[in-house]
Amino acid sequence: MSYLVWLIPIALLMGITALLAFLWSLRRGQYEDLDGAAERILLDAEDDRPLRERHEG
């Protein structure tokens, strides 16, 4: 039973830490563009260059 005295606070601390990490990432905009990375793989390599380089070369 004495192990619960240690495990419950550790579990609560881990849960609070995970919640804070999630809220931090939410505020930093990590979940704004969920489809962008999935669609970016379908683009050609030439389309990834800035417009200035496309017109020069």
Side-chain angles (χ1 to χ4, degrees), residues 20-51:
L20 290 176
F22 172 73
L23 292 175
W24 175 79
S25 67
L26 192 64
R27 287 187 178 212
R28 300 275 295 182
Q30 294 293 317
Y31 304 105
E32 292 293 324
D33 184 20
L34 296 177
D35 296 326
E39 293 174 1
R40 203 171 305 130
I41 194 71
L42 300 174
L43 298 175
D44 290 336
E46 295 175 3
D47 292 339
D48 291 340
R49 293 186 297 170
L51 287 175

